[in-house]
Amino acid sequence: MNKIACFIFSILIGFASHAQTKKWTIQECVAYALKNNISIKQSVLDADLAKIDKNSALGSFLPSINADASHSWNIGLNQNITTGILENQTTQFSAFGLNTGVDIYKGLQNQNRLRKSNLQILASQYNLDKMKEDISLYVANAFLQILFDKENIKVQKEQLAISEKQYVRTDELVKAGSIPRGDLLDIKATVASNKQKVVSAENAFIISKLSLVQLLQLDDFENFDIADVEYGVADSPTMLLGPETIFQKAKEIRVELKIAKSNLEIAERDLKIARGGFQPSLQGFYRFNTRISYADVPVFDSTGKFVGFRNPNPFFNQFSDNKGHNFGMQLNIPILNGFSVKNSVERSKVSIKKNKLALSQSELDLERNVYKAFTDVKGRLMLMNLQSLLLMLERKRSIMPQKN
């Protein structure tokens, strides 16, 4: 028994150590975020709502069917609803009805609502795609920021080590009287500055790791770490193109512009729906109804003894005899409705103008982002090369013997 317990305990310890030593790759981070990020889940729910709205639009083409029923008791001197005779008795009355109606013509509003719902489904899918792209980009940036902060910590610690070696060497030269003590103070200030940079780099690493953990919706912040993999940076053929060429290609594929165009089409469809309110509407209707009444009529035998109650009119006979049908068509012509339709049309026109401006703004934002990203990449590459060159010079200077 003890052996089995020890075996299970060792397995649990192995699982725990494996969970704590797991290092996430960038592919794992992106895949996990796409499944668990809250913003993506909300976008999925928005897409589901758009599908429900389409079902509602389809339902407007179907006829409406409603049934109703009622039952009442009349006690005392009351008029029999079926016979019309005043009787002092307890009468029960039942009524049943069935109503149906269908839109024959409604200013093409139902058709336009269906087309609008299709556009809303498309727009919601674009929004979901954009959210996935944004989350993937955020995760990738956060992942690369952690890598950068890790390397920055190494660089700052190496720079601190170089400064400390210079401090020791300078201290020996000062003691030997080869250089003035002021040089030692300068190196000491440099060492203190490098220590502060190390602390700042470590704090930046903690913040960047926290940002990635929150994007992934993880709880275990302390044991989270990423895989230290060498990611080769290859020359991108996109950088060989000019920013204007990149912008023209981005206009064809970027989701932001597709969303803006879809919103503009939805606003145009809203205008057609609003204008349909000016047109007359024609509806067809049908109603079936029937009623049954029955009283508690006392029944006596041949000796005059009360034996119970009976209903002189059978239930189903009355159901068939009292049934009725009502059907026809109803035409509604809007004449004056407090400017509600007119104001709805005007609001739709304003919405179209706003969405046109939003589309233009999306194009301007995309152009600015393309140019900014292009210049940022070129500047980052130049900065990385410059930092590598400076670090190499510092290393060479630290190993070169100083002249007395």
Side-chain angles (χ1 to χ4, degrees):
M1 185 67 184
N2 292 333
K3 292 182 178 179
I4 296 176
C6 292
F7 177 72
I8 297 175
F9 181 75
S10 62
I11 293 177
L12 294 176
I13 293 296
F15 285 156
S17 62
H18 175 74
Q20 292 178 357
T21 57
K22 173 178 173 57
K23 293 182 179 292
W24 294 69
T25 64
I26 188 170
Q27 292 84 359
E28 291 175 339
C29 290
V30 172
Y32 188 88
L34 292 179
K35 292 181 180 179
N36 297 277
N37 188 267
I38 293 178
S39 298
I40 293 179
K41 291 181 179 179
Q42 290 176 337
S43 297
V44 172
L45 294 178
D46 291 337
D48 293 339
L49 289 176
K51 295 178 181 178
I52 295 174
D53 291 339
K54 181 179 179 179
N55 290 334
S56 298
L58 287 172
S60 63
F61 290 94
L62 301 176
S64 62
I65 301 175
N66 298 284
D68 59 86
S70 64
H71 185 81
S72 61
W73 287 264
N74 296 323
I75 301 175
L77 184 62
N78 294 291
Q79 183 180 23
N80 191 313
I81 300 177
T82 303
T83 63
I85 301 175
L86 290 175
E87 299 176 357
N88 191 3
Q89 59 185 354
T90 299
T91 304
Q92 299 186 49
F93 177 77
S94 298
F96 305 92
L98 180 69
N99 295 286
T100 181
V102 61
D103 290 329
I104 299 176
Y105 182 78
K106 201 177 179 181
L108 300 179
Q109 288 182 327
N110 293 338
Q111 290 84 345
N112 287 321
R113 286 194 179 95
L114 179 59
R115 297 186 181 100
K116 175 187 173 182
S117 65
N118 289 327
L119 291 173
Q120 288 176 328
I121 291 177
L122 184 62
S124 65
Q125 186 60 48
Y126 286 151
N127 282 315
L128 177 58
D129 294 340
K130 182 179 183 300
M131 184 58 63
K132 289 182 178 180
E133 290 180 0
D134 290 344
I135 295 299
S136 299
L137 182 61
Y138 295 154
V139 170
N141 286 337
F143 190 94
L144 296 178
Q145 185 64 42
I146 293 177
L147 288 178
F148 174 79
D149 291 336
K150 276 188 172 182
E151 291 299 319
N152 189 36
I153 291 175
K154 295 178 181 178
V155 171
Q156 296 303 329
K157 286 184 177 180
E158 188 173 353
Q159 187 67 46
L160 176 61
I162 294 173
S163 299
E164 289 176 343
K165 290 179 181 179
Q166 289 179 349
Y167 177 80
V168 173
R169 187 177 296 109
T170 303
D171 184 51
E172 293 176 353
L173 294 175
V174 169
K175 291 178 179 179
S178 300
I179 58 175
R181 181 169 293 276
D183 292 349
L184 181 62
L185 297 177
D186 291 339
I187 296 298
K188 187 175 182 180
T190 301
V191 171
S193 177
N194 289 336
K195 288 182 179 180
Q196 190 272 334
K197 290 181 180 179
V198 170
V199 174
S200 298
E202 291 175 344
N203 292 336
F205 170 72
I206 294 175
I207 296 300
S208 60
K209 189 172 74 167
L210 179 61
S211 299
L212 182 56
V213 168
Q214 290 180 343
L215 282 173
L216 299 180
Q217 307 296 326
L218 294 176
D219 298 327
D220 192 3
F221 168 73
E222 295 295 334
N223 297 318
F224 177 80
D225 198 4
I226 65 173
D228 294 327
V229 181
E230 294 292 335
Y231 294 92
V233 180
D235 293 334
S236 173
T238 305
M239 294 301 298
L240 301 177
L241 304 174
E244 182 60 31
T245 304
I246 298 175
F247 170 63
Q248 294 301 327
K249 290 186 176 182
K251 288 175 64 176
E252 300 175 0
I253 61 176
R254 286 305 301 167
V255 183
E256 295 90 335
L257 295 185
K258 293 181 180 180
I259 293 174
K261 291 178 181 178
S262 298
N263 290 335
L264 177 59
E265 293 177 356
I266 291 174
E268 292 172 347
R269 192 61 59 181
D270 281 332
L271 177 60
K272 292 182 179 180
I273 294 173
R275 284 175 172 170
F278 286 118
Q279 301 183 31
S281 62
L282 181 64
Q283 290 181 322
F285 63 89
Y286 168 79
R287 175 170 175 79
F288 167 82
N289 61 83
T290 186
R291 64 187 187 274
I292 300 96
S293 66
Y294 38 93
D296 296 334
V297 179
V299 179
F300 302 93
D301 59 10
S302 58
T303 62
K305 182 180 179 181
F306 174 77
V307 296
F309 294 93
R310 69 177 179 86
N311 187 1
N313 298 319
F315 181 90
F316 289 101
N317 288 348
Q318 292 188 65
F319 188 92
S320 177
D321 295 340
N322 298 330
K323 65 184 179 183
H325 304 272
N326 181 27
F327 57 91
M329 291 184 293
Q330 180 177 351
L331 178 65
N332 295 316
I333 302 176
I335 298 176
L336 182 63
N337 45 39
F339 304 110
S340 61
V341 177
K342 181 177 181 299
N343 292 333
S344 180
V345 170
E346 294 301 323
R347 280 194 295 267
S348 298
K349 290 180 179 179
V350 173
S351 179
I352 289 177
K353 293 179 181 179
K354 291 177 63 177
N355 281 279
K356 286 182 178 179
L357 294 176
L359 177 59
S360 300
Q361 186 63 49
S362 297
E363 292 180 351
L364 293 175
D365 293 340
L366 180 60
E367 184 178 19
R368 182 179 66 253
N369 292 335
V370 167
Y371 275 85
K372 184 177 183 300
F374 188 85
T375 55
D376 286 346
V377 171
K378 292 181 64 176
R380 180 61 64 89
L381 292 175
M382 293 178 61
L383 179 60
M384 291 173 61
N385 293 332
L386 180 59
Q387 288 178 341
S388 300
L389 179 60
L390 292 175
L391 183 59
M392 183 178 62
L393 292 176
E394 287 288 339
R395 290 174 179 173
K396 288 184 177 180
R397 190 176 67 176
S398 64
I399 62 176
M400 290 178 61
Q402 297 189 12
K403 296 181 181 181
N404 294 336

